[in-house]
């Protein structure tokens, strides 16, 4: 009789142990999600010696320029919490769609479940003053208070934003921001900076 009771006791303890282990794992997952790391979506892109910038527009997609040659094995580096942080994580990514004429591309990346990467929305507003946010090599660049030149510039049939500031070499793919929303993606320039405007971006994203 005692042996039967002991056998039942052992079985019950095994079941309890399994339940406790499952509960601990579940709580660990919840804690990981609750306290997962947060990263900014303005990223530094690099591959095969080329370096440029991009902006996360979804949990899986980065909006950038199309003129860099690499399309595979691209490293997207996101700064922790804020643009400019030296603490970054790098995720392997690749170009999934590009339009060389519009000079726009979409890069695909995989965000781990317990990480939060800030994504940026598009704005259809016509700004007078903007900010440029991106990277030149490993240095975060934020240029505030940049005036938009009120001219209707185009490049190969695609409309552009013209900015009064000289273009900084290496800032290609940087976001042109009105507040926290994207109004353009920097493409090229010299004495002035040129960027794909929101009309061109939306046309590209719609596959037109």
């Amino acid at each position: 009789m005692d042996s039967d009771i002991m056998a039942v006791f052992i079985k019950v303890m095994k079941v309890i142990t399994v339940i406790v282990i499952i509960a601990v794992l579940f709580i660990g997952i919840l804690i990981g999600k609750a306290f997962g790391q947060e990263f900014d979506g303005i990223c530094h892109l690099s591959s095969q010696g080329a370096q440029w910038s991009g902006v996360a527009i979804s949990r899986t997609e980065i909006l950038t320029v199309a003129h860099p040659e690499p399309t595979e094995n691209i490293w997207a580096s996101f700064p922790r919490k804020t643009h400019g942080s030296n603490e970054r994580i790098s995720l392997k990514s690749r170009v999934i769609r590009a339009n060389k004429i519009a000079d726009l591309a979409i890069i695909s990346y995989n965000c781990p479940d317990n990480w939060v990467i800030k994504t940026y929305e598009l704005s259809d507003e016509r700004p007078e003053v903007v900010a440029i946010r991106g990277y030149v090599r490993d240095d975060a660049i934020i240029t505030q208070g940049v005036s938009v030149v009120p001219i209707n510039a185009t490049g190969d049939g695609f409309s552009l934003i013209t900015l009064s500031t000289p273009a900084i070499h290496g800032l290609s793919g940087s976001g042109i921001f009105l507040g926290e929303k994207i109004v353009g993606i920097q493409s090229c320039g010299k004495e002035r900076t040129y960027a794909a405007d929101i009309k061109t971006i939306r046309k590209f994203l719609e596959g037109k």
Side-chain angles (χ1 to χ4, degrees), residues 54-84:
V55 184
I57 57 172
S58 76
R59 190 174 172 80
T60 60
E61 294 179 330
I62 297 165
L63 179 63
T64 185
V65 287
H67 65 253
E69 289 301 323
T71 58
E72 298 284 343
N73 300 318
I74 298 168
W75 289 102
S77 297
F78 297 92
R80 187 167 186 182
K81 292 190 176 179
T82 59
H83 177 225

Side-chain angles (χ1 to χ4, degrees), residues 44-62:
H44 171 265
L45 301 168
S46 61
S47 180
Q48 302 173 33
Q51 299 186 58
W52 65 109
S53 302
V55 184
I57 57 172
S58 76
R59 190 174 172 80
T60 60
E61 294 179 330
I62 297 165

Side-chain angles (χ1 to χ4, degrees), residues 59-143:
R59 190 174 172 80
T60 60
E61 294 179 330
I62 297 165
L63 179 63
T64 185
V65 287
H67 65 253
E69 289 301 323
T71 58
E72 298 284 343
N73 300 318
I74 298 168
W75 289 102
S77 297
F78 297 92
R80 187 167 186 182
K81 292 190 176 179
T82 59
H83 177 225
S85 170
N86 289 324
E87 186 178 349
R88 302 174 193 167
I89 51 100
S90 294
L91 301 175
K92 205 168 186 179
S93 58
R94 64 185 180 88
V95 174
I96 57 172
R97 189 153 63 88
N99 184 323
K100 291 284 187 179
I101 299 174
D103 197 19
L104 289 170
I106 290 292
I107 290 178
S108 173
Y109 71 100
N110 292 316
C111 179
D113 289 340
N114 64 328
W115 289 357
V116 177
I117 292 179
K118 180 179 179 179
T119 58
Y120 290 87
E121 296 179 359
L122 304 177
S123 171
D124 291 302
E125 289 189 53
R126 296 177 65 87
E128 295 181 357
V129 178
V130 296
I132 305 171
R133 297 164 67 183
Y135 289 88
V136 174
R137 297 193 177 274
D138 284 334
D139 297 325
I141 303 294
I142 303 174
T143 306

Side-chain angles (χ1 to χ4, degrees), residues 9-23:
F9 177 76
I10 291 171
K11 286 182 180 180
V12 170
M13 291 305 296
K14 284 182 177 179
V15 171
I16 291 173
T17 300
V18 171
I19 291 172
V20 169
I21 291 172
I22 292 172

